[in-house]
Amino acid sequence: MNKKISAVYPGSFDPPTNGHLDIVNKSSCLFSKIIVAVTDNINKKYTFSLHKRVDLLQKSTKHLKNIRVVSFSGLLADYLGKINSFILIRGLRALSDFEYEFQLALMNRKLNKRIETIFLIPDQSYAFLSSSMVKEVAMLGGDTADFVPSCVEEELKKHFANLSKFHCEK
Amino acid sequence: MNKKISAVYPGSFDPPTNGHLDIVNKSSCLFSKIIVAVTDNINKKYTFSLHKRVDLLQKSTKHLKNIRVVSFSGLLADYLGKINSFILIRGLRALSDFEYEFQLALMNRKLNKRIETIFLIPDQSYAFLSSSMVKEVAMLGGDTADFVPSCVEEELKKHFANLSKFHCEK
Amino acid sequence: MNKKISAVYPGSFDPPTNGHLDIVNKSSCLFSKIIVAVTDNINKKYTFSLHKRVDLLQKSTKHLKNIRVVSFSGLLADYLGKINSFILIRGLRALSDFEYEFQLALMNRKLNKRIETIFLIPDQSYAFLSSSMVKEVAMLGGDTADFVPSCVEEELKKHFANLSKFHCEK
Amino acid sequence: MNKKISAVYPGSFDPPTNGHLDIVNKSSCLFSKIIVAVTDNINKKYTFSLHKRVDLLQKSTKHLKNIRVVSFSGLLADYLGKINSFILIRGLRALSDFEYEFQLALMNRKLNKRIETIFLIPDQSYAFLSSSMVKEVAMLGGDTADFVPSCVEEELKKHFANLSKFHCEK
Amino acid sequence: MNKKISAVYPGSFDPPTNGHLDIVNKSSCLFSKIIVAVTDNINKKYTFSLHKRVDLLQKSTKHLKNIRVVSFSGLLADYLGKINSFILIRGLRALSDFEYEFQLALMNRKLNKRIETIFLIPDQSYAFLSSSMVKEVAMLGGDTADFVPSCVEEELKKHFANLSKFHCEK
Amino acid sequence: MNKKISAVYPGSFDPPTNGHLDIVNKSSCLFSKIIVAVTDNINKKYTFSLHKRVDLLQKSTKHLKNIRVVSFSGLLADYLGKINSFILIRGLRALSDFEYEFQLALMNRKLNKRIETIFLIPDQSYAFLSSSMVKEVAMLGGDTADFVPSCVEEELKKHFANLSKFHCEK
């Protein structure tokens, strides 16, 4: 029996970290195709624009053949139905919001019982990494080279340089 | 020995979900009278007005004889003293903020040592339900019929239809 | 509406601690009658005999009018059906096995859907107390006066005095 | 790109429950082949023999074409190397030992960095199920029809009938 | 071997509670000097000004000889490097955000591997205390005398009296 | 103010792992003297004798000047009183029994209010390490060189070689 299974890795990726990319890497070995789906929720405030987040993910995953980066708005369960792919991939850090991830997985299964969520564990060296913590470090002038790919590092520097300029002008 | 004990089930109920109503149902079998106390905290932003939240709870619990829906502002511990009822009821989902609930229960006991918090477990099918997750689904156009009573479903549709109209006008 | 509701507080109470008795006290104010049900599972090894555990609970709760101490073997869900009482009381310490308690509550509800488990929080000063920790302290010659009623303290001393005698004889 | 990926679902399955079988079912849709690997650790005491546990799993999964049930002793990481399959599947219940599972996954990755553990969530109705809880219910004479396949139910009855016979003979 | 070790206790202290002061007290016995470092993050909204928070801490700790209260902005890891002190002290409540604290400790160790975080447990009577819960109680007119030193209590009253005046004027 | 503070690091160390030794290392920088106190509880079964466990710790820590390895039986709180040292050190892994450690810390503080427990976080690479997991790996013939010092590795091999010899003889 041969299988051509695609799986979806959804997230806001604001910005993508090495932890996210580790999950993308691991996933690309497990399934025929991985769709990295960047969410755009009108009620959320993002640090980076949807366009920029998609762009950074594309740059950071271009060495992998079976990855496609897309964006979507609306209900994830609806999007999965539209593209006829029902496997969700999520990273699960020992130190992350396990309960929230569980709630989400059950809600998605309830919205469409074909949806299966698969949890992968990123390398232990990323156990403490989150987009928000990386932004906090960057904002305070810390070095983020160990935490994000270089294209993201540049954007973080640019973003927070602008921010502090605005602050100075006040 | 006969007991006529009333208990208070406090919450913001923004909006009430089937999980909340399951707790109301269970509580109504345990105590002589249940006071569902809708909080109104001036520092919080609610999706539905206090009036609407009380109204939705009244409609959803009208089949139960020993339920009264009230609203209150100020300190819960003070309100309990005023109505001379010291039993608090809270639902505890396996996947919910257990630690926050615990903190709250201990703080209330500290504010008035007569206050006893009782935790009930909603049916497993509601383990992933929360008001905010239901609103997220409704906002993105998902079906909430399984998660809330029909009067709440209508209000959710109305609310988010208006919201998207405003967004379109932009 | 008047309610005459009895509730069951099951446990192995090997031995009863001040934390258990705090839960008994709190429960006796909430329900018309509390049945403290001491389990006797042939596959478990207890430090104190069933007879002794029942006796210690009776002595420690004799100031409360609406408490009855019983023992039972077999399935708790069956026992509840036999006595027609479907409310279970369990203490929930911030530092205790929350997950196990949850599992048990769901299993019992599955075995008989009328069974409702109610969780109460013991006073914060008992947050670290467990029967096994108390036995550990007693075995090592520590003072347990703050942790158990005096009749239990005596039994602990007697038990571990005998034990060390046997050890010396070797 | 086509993928023929096999994955290993290890466990003691003492006995297999509906929760285990739900994970087998879900896994069989995700990968080309699932190897259910029954552990046999000389230091552990099992209720059912290795032969019986393998047999019960084979009977319970015979409707699935891509499942093979095997037994193994020794280090799981070594076994995976021998069969050249590096994907481990584990069920993760909201109410289960998350931390232990995490520890195991990290240890296995350390022993062989090619080993990837994938966590799946069983249906919510199995959230409270574990082999040991099922055995506890069966031992106390409770009905396990909802928790295990019928072939396991029979074995549980047989096992605990024998056990009580021995007890009576004493 | 003699040791003159200083340690840093960072936090926003908005406002300081008796739980914070308990940690300061315990720390002052462990190390030669404790630097209480009040954070000032331009992206956060504080209830009390940096000046006020430093002032309240100084008043509340003046009975301790080896305490210095300072403020800092920027990356904590950089600040520690500047003052050449690499021991961080954090309180860990049974009911607090354990996972966040862990994440922070690992991030700081990553930013500078000399940084060691030490966790202390405040007295059980402070297990439920947090700055935000204290503010909630004060805002709703509750008594905070048991939760904060008297100088903080006064400030809370002043702050929320002003707030409600503004609300009335609307 | 100069401080000459000794701290006690208690445990069963059966056997010591690299995680334990990391905590010893970190502690030796924080305090003037570290007493590694090996417990010997007559009710527990150890894999290695008390003599062997003390010996392995002494060999593994001989490069550190301010470490002393001792053994003790009886109540830890009593032992601390005898040597007049009231600081306990414990390692806290993200993936370990946090709740048990907390319970123990509170019990010890209750037994003697001068006892303060300090938690340190071992390096992330040891997050999954425990004595029992190391023994499991060794017993199954796995390589433990990354997990324990070489003197412990040898003992593990010797121990489990003997064990399997006995098994073969059956």
Side-chain angles (χ1 to χ4, degrees):
Chain A
M1 193 174 69
N2 282 5
K3 298 228 172 187
K4 286 191 179 184
I5 295 186
S6 67
V8 175
Y9 178 32
S12 51
F13 304 103
D14 186 33
T17 69
N18 288 343
H20 295 132
L21 296 173
D22 185 43
I23 296 296
V24 173
N25 263 305
K26 289 182 195 321
S27 305
S28 77
C29 304
L30 292 173
F31 297 101
S32 295
K33 191 178 181 176
I34 301 296
I35 296 157
V36 182
V38 186
T39 58
D40 200 41
N41 186 326
I42 49 167
N43 282 38
K44 264 195 189 167
K45 288 197 174 168
Y46 298 98
T47 303
F48 295 102
S49 72
L50 176 62
H51 177 76
K52 180 64 75 190
R53 289 179 282 140
V54 167
D55 181 55
L56 290 171
L57 274 165
Q58 275 168 339
K59 280 181 187 151
S60 317
T61 61
K62 67 176 175 227
H63 60 292
L64 294 165
K65 286 278 177 287
N66 60 341
I67 304 292
R68 227 183 87 210
V69 183
V70 304
S71 71
F72 81 102
S73 57
L75 205 60
L76 178 55
D78 290 346
Y79 176 73
L80 295 176
K82 228 176 291 172
I83 64 170
N84 203 34
S85 177
F86 297 100
I87 302 171
L88 282 181
I89 288 169
R90 298 289 288 170
L92 197 60
R93 295 166 299 155
L95 300 166
S96 80
D97 38 3
F98 170 59
E99 302 219 322
Y100 176 72
E101 288 294 336
F102 229 90
Q103 242 180 328
L104 215 61
L106 293 176
M107 177 54 106
N108 277 320
R109 185 182 282 168
K110 181 82 185 174
L111 289 169
N112 185 332
K113 53 189 278 197
R114 295 181 60 192
I115 299 176
E116 212 55 75
T117 304
I118 281 178
F119 292 104
L120 298 175
I121 304 182
D123 278 349
Q124 238 355 47
S125 48
Y126 304 130
F128 58 88
L129 261 194
S130 69
S131 292
S132 59
M133 212 168 246
V134 164
K135 283 186 280 190
E136 178 95 5
V137 170
M139 190 188 69
L140 299 172
D143 184 2
T144 62
D146 284 353
F147 310 141
V148 293
S150 58
C151 62
V152 172
E153 202 195 348
E154 270 172 55
E155 288 298 326
L156 283 167
K157 275 183 189 154
K158 220 187 293 176
H159 179 83
F160 289 110
N162 284 340
L163 207 71
S164 65
K165 206 162 58 186
F166 289 133
H167 276 121
C168 297
E169 284 166 359
K170 275 196 292 189
Chain B
M1 191 174 73
N2 283 5
K3 298 229 173 186
K4 286 190 179 185
I5 295 186
S6 67
V8 175
Y9 179 31
S12 51
F13 305 103
D14 187 34
T17 69
N18 287 343
H20 295 131
L21 296 173
D22 186 43
I23 296 296
V24 173
N25 263 303
K26 289 183 197 321
S27 305
S28 78
C29 303
L30 292 173
F31 297 100
S32 294
K33 192 176 180 178
I34 301 298
I35 294 158
V36 181
V38 186
T39 58
D40 200 42
N41 186 325
I42 49 167
N43 282 38
K44 263 197 190 167
K45 287 198 174 169
Y46 298 97
T47 303
F48 296 102
S49 72
L50 176 62
H51 178 76
K52 180 64 77 188
R53 288 180 282 139
V54 168
D55 182 55
L56 290 170
L57 275 165
Q58 276 168 338
K59 280 181 186 151
S60 316
T61 60
K62 66 176 174 227
H63 60 292
L64 295 165
K65 287 279 176 287
N66 61 340
I67 305 293
R68 226 182 88 207
V69 182
V70 305
S71 70
F72 80 101
S73 57
L75 205 58
L76 179 56
D78 290 346
Y79 176 73
L80 295 176
K82 229 177 288 172
I83 64 169
N84 204 34
S85 177
F86 296 100
I87 303 171
L88 280 182
I89 288 170
R90 296 290 289 170
L92 197 61
R93 295 166 299 155
L95 300 166
S96 80
D97 38 1
F98 169 60
E99 303 218 322
Y100 176 72
E101 287 294 336
F102 230 88
Q103 240 179 331
L104 214 61
L106 293 176
M107 178 52 107
N108 278 319
R109 185 182 279 166
K110 182 80 184 174
L111 290 168
N112 184 332
K113 54 188 275 195
R114 294 181 61 191
I115 298 178
E116 211 55 73
T117 304
I118 280 178
F119 292 105
L120 297 175
I121 304 182
D123 278 348
Q124 237 358 44
S125 48
Y126 305 130
F128 58 88
L129 263 192
S130 68
S131 291
S132 59
M133 214 170 245
V134 164
K135 282 186 281 191
E136 178 95 4
V137 170
M139 190 189 69
L140 299 172
D143 185 3
T144 61
D146 284 354
F147 310 142
V148 293
S150 57
C151 61
V152 173
E153 202 195 348
E154 269 172 55
E155 288 298 328
L156 283 166
K157 276 183 188 156
K158 221 186 293 178
H159 179 83
F160 289 110
N162 285 339
L163 208 70
S164 65
K165 206 162 58 185
F166 289 132
H167 277 119
C168 296
E169 283 165 0
K170 276 196 290 190
Chain C
M1 192 173 73
N2 282 8
K3 299 227 172 186
K4 287 190 179 186
I5 295 186
S6 67
V8 174
Y9 179 32
S12 52
F13 305 103
D14 186 34
T17 69
N18 288 343
H20 294 132
L21 296 173
D22 186 42
I23 296 295
V24 173
N25 263 304
K26 289 183 195 319
S27 305
S28 77
C29 303
L30 291 173
F31 297 101
S32 294
K33 191 177 180 178
I34 301 297
I35 296 157
V36 181
V38 186
T39 58
D40 199 42
N41 186 325
I42 49 167
N43 283 38
K44 263 195 191 169
K45 288 196 173 168
Y46 298 97
T47 303
F48 295 102
S49 71
L50 177 62
H51 178 76
K52 181 64 76 190
R53 288 179 283 138
V54 168
D55 181 55
L56 291 170
L57 275 165
Q58 276 168 340
K59 280 181 187 150
S60 316
T61 61
K62 64 176 176 229
H63 61 292
L64 294 165
K65 286 278 176 288
N66 60 339
I67 305 291
R68 227 184 87 208
V69 183
V70 304
S71 70
F72 81 101
S73 58
L75 206 58
L76 178 56
D78 290 346
Y79 176 72
L80 296 176
K82 229 176 289 172
I83 64 169
N84 204 35
S85 178
F86 297 99
I87 302 171
L88 281 181
I89 288 170
R90 297 289 289 171
L92 197 59
R93 295 166 300 155
L95 299 166
S96 81
D97 38 359
F98 170 59
E99 302 219 322
Y100 175 72
E101 288 294 336
F102 230 89
Q103 242 179 327
L104 214 62
L106 293 176
M107 179 51 108
N108 278 320
R109 185 183 279 167
K110 183 80 184 173
L111 289 169
N112 183 332
K113 53 189 276 197
R114 294 180 61 191
I115 298 177
E116 211 57 73
T117 304
I118 281 179
F119 291 105
L120 297 175
I121 305 181
D123 278 348
Q124 240 354 48
S125 48
Y126 304 130
F128 57 88
L129 261 193
S130 67
S131 291
S132 59
M133 214 169 245
V134 164
K135 283 185 282 191
E136 178 95 5
V137 170
M139 189 188 69
L140 299 171
D143 183 3
T144 61
D146 284 353
F147 310 142
V148 293
S150 58
C151 60
V152 173
E153 203 194 347
E154 269 171 56
E155 288 298 327
L156 283 166
K157 276 184 190 156
K158 221 186 294 177
H159 178 84
F160 290 110
N162 285 339
L163 207 69
S164 64
K165 205 161 59 185
F166 290 132
H167 276 119
C168 297
E169 285 166 357
K170 274 195 292 189
Chain D
M1 192 173 72
N2 282 5
K3 298 230 173 185
K4 287 190 178 185
I5 295 186
S6 67
V8 175
Y9 178 33
S12 52
F13 304 104
D14 186 34
T17 69
N18 288 343
H20 294 132
L21 297 174
D22 186 43
I23 295 296
V24 173
N25 263 304
K26 289 182 196 320
S27 306
S28 78
C29 304
L30 292 173
F31 297 100
S32 294
K33 191 177 180 176
I34 302 296
I35 295 156
V36 181
V38 186
T39 58
D40 200 42
N41 187 325
I42 48 165
N43 282 37
K44 263 195 191 170
K45 287 198 173 169
Y46 298 98
T47 303
F48 296 102
S49 71
L50 176 61
H51 177 75
K52 180 64 76 187
R53 288 179 283 138
V54 168
D55 181 55
L56 291 171
L57 274 165
Q58 275 167 339
K59 281 181 186 153
S60 315
T61 61
K62 65 174 175 230
H63 60 292
L64 294 166
K65 288 278 176 288
N66 60 341
I67 305 292
R68 227 184 86 207
V69 183
V70 305
S71 70
F72 81 101
S73 58
L75 205 58
L76 179 55
D78 290 346
Y79 176 73
L80 296 176
K82 227 176 292 173
I83 64 169
N84 204 35
S85 178
F86 297 101
I87 303 172
L88 281 181
I89 289 170
R90 296 289 289 170
L92 198 59
R93 294 166 300 154
L95 300 165
S96 82
D97 38 2
F98 170 59
E99 302 218 322
Y100 175 72
E101 288 294 336
F102 229 89
Q103 241 178 327
L104 214 61
L106 293 175
M107 177 52 106
N108 278 319
R109 185 182 282 166
K110 183 78 185 175
L111 289 169
N112 185 332
K113 53 189 278 197
R114 294 181 62 192
I115 298 177
E116 211 56 74
T117 304
I118 282 179
F119 292 104
L120 297 176
I121 305 182
D123 278 347
Q124 239 356 46
S125 47
Y126 305 129
F128 57 89
L129 262 192
S130 67
S131 291
S132 59
M133 214 172 246
V134 164
K135 282 186 280 190
E136 176 96 5
V137 170
M139 189 189 70
L140 299 172
D143 184 4
T144 62
D146 284 353
F147 310 140
V148 293
S150 56
C151 62
V152 173
E153 203 194 348
E154 269 171 55
E155 289 298 327
L156 283 166
K157 276 184 189 154
K158 220 186 296 177
H159 179 84
F160 289 110
N162 285 339
L163 207 70
S164 64
K165 207 163 58 188
F166 289 133
H167 276 121
C168 296
E169 285 166 357
K170 275 197 290 191
Chain E
M1 191 174 68
N2 281 6
K3 298 230 171 186
K4 286 190 179 188
I5 295 187
S6 67
V8 175
Y9 178 32
S12 52
F13 305 103
D14 186 34
T17 69
N18 288 344
H20 295 132
L21 297 173
D22 185 43
I23 296 296
V24 173
N25 263 304
K26 289 182 196 319
S27 306
S28 77
C29 303
L30 293 172
F31 298 100
S32 294
K33 190 178 182 177
I34 302 296
I35 296 156
V36 181
V38 186
T39 59
D40 200 41
N41 186 326
I42 49 166
N43 282 37
K44 263 197 191 168
K45 287 197 173 170
Y46 298 98
T47 303
F48 296 102
S49 72
L50 177 61
H51 176 77
K52 180 64 75 188
R53 288 179 284 140
V54 167
D55 181 55
L56 291 170
L57 274 164
Q58 276 167 340
K59 282 180 186 152
S60 316
T61 61
K62 65 177 175 225
H63 59 292
L64 295 164
K65 287 278 177 289
N66 60 339
I67 305 292
R68 226 184 87 209
V69 183
V70 305
S71 69
F72 80 101
S73 57
L75 206 58
L76 179 55
D78 291 346
Y79 175 73
L80 296 175
K82 227 175 293 172
I83 65 171
N84 204 34
S85 177
F86 296 101
I87 302 171
L88 281 181
I89 288 170
R90 298 288 290 170
L92 197 59
R93 295 166 300 156
L95 300 165
S96 81
D97 38 3
F98 169 60
E99 303 219 322
Y100 176 72
E101 288 294 337
F102 230 88
Q103 241 179 328
L104 214 62
L106 293 176
M107 177 53 108
N108 278 320
R109 184 182 283 167
K110 182 80 185 173
L111 289 169
N112 184 331
K113 54 189 278 195
R114 294 181 60 192
I115 298 178
E116 211 56 72
T117 305
I118 281 180
F119 292 104
L120 297 176
I121 304 182
D123 278 347
Q124 237 358 44
S125 48
Y126 304 130
F128 57 89
L129 261 193
S130 68
S131 292
S132 59
M133 214 170 245
V134 163
K135 283 186 280 190
E136 178 95 4
V137 170
M139 189 189 69
L140 298 172
D143 184 2
T144 62
D146 284 353
F147 311 141
V148 293
S150 57
C151 62
V152 173
E153 201 193 349
E154 269 172 55
E155 287 299 327
L156 282 166
K157 276 184 189 155
K158 221 187 293 177
H159 179 82
F160 289 109
N162 285 340
L163 208 70
S164 63
K165 206 163 59 186
F166 289 134
H167 277 120
C168 296
E169 284 167 357
K170 275 197 292 190
Chain F
M1 193 175 72
N2 281 5
K3 299 228 172 186
K4 286 191 178 185
I5 295 186
S6 67
V8 175
Y9 178 32
S12 51
F13 306 103
D14 185 35
T17 70
N18 288 343
H20 295 132
L21 297 173
D22 186 43
I23 296 296
V24 173
N25 263 304
K26 289 182 195 321
S27 305
S28 77
C29 304
L30 292 172
F31 297 99
S32 294
K33 189 178 183 177
I34 302 295
I35 296 156
V36 182
V38 186
T39 58
D40 200 40
N41 186 327
I42 49 165
N43 283 37
K44 263 197 189 166
K45 288 197 173 169
Y46 297 98
T47 302
F48 296 102
S49 72
L50 176 62
H51 177 77
K52 180 64 74 187
R53 289 179 283 139
V54 167
D55 181 55
L56 290 171
L57 275 165
Q58 274 167 341
K59 282 181 186 150
S60 316
T61 61
K62 65 176 175 230
H63 60 292
L64 294 165
K65 288 278 177 289
N66 60 341
I67 304 292
R68 225 184 87 208
V69 183
V70 305
S71 70
F72 81 101
S73 58
L75 205 59
L76 179 55
D78 290 346
Y79 176 73
L80 296 176
K82 229 175 290 173
I83 64 169
N84 204 34
S85 177
F86 297 101
I87 302 171
L88 282 181
I89 287 170
R90 298 288 289 170
L92 198 59
R93 295 165 301 155
L95 300 166
S96 81
D97 39 0
F98 170 58
E99 302 219 323
Y100 175 72
E101 288 294 337
F102 230 88
Q103 241 179 328
L104 215 61
L106 293 175
M107 178 52 108
N108 278 319
R109 184 182 282 167
K110 182 79 186 176
L111 289 168
N112 184 332
K113 53 189 279 196
R114 294 181 60 191
I115 298 177
E116 210 56 73
T117 304
I118 280 180
F119 292 104
L120 296 176
I121 304 181
D123 277 348
Q124 234 4 39
S125 49
Y126 305 130
F128 57 89
L129 261 193
S130 67
S131 292
S132 59
M133 215 171 244
V134 164
K135 283 185 281 190
E136 178 95 5
V137 169
M139 188 188 70
L140 299 172
D143 184 3
T144 62
D146 284 353
F147 311 141
V148 293
S150 56
C151 61
V152 173
E153 202 194 347
E154 269 172 56
E155 289 297 327
L156 282 167
K157 276 184 188 155
K158 219 186 294 176
H159 179 83
F160 290 109
N162 285 339
L163 208 68
S164 64
K165 205 163 57 188
F166 290 132
H167 276 120
C168 296
E169 286 167 356
K170 274 196 293 190

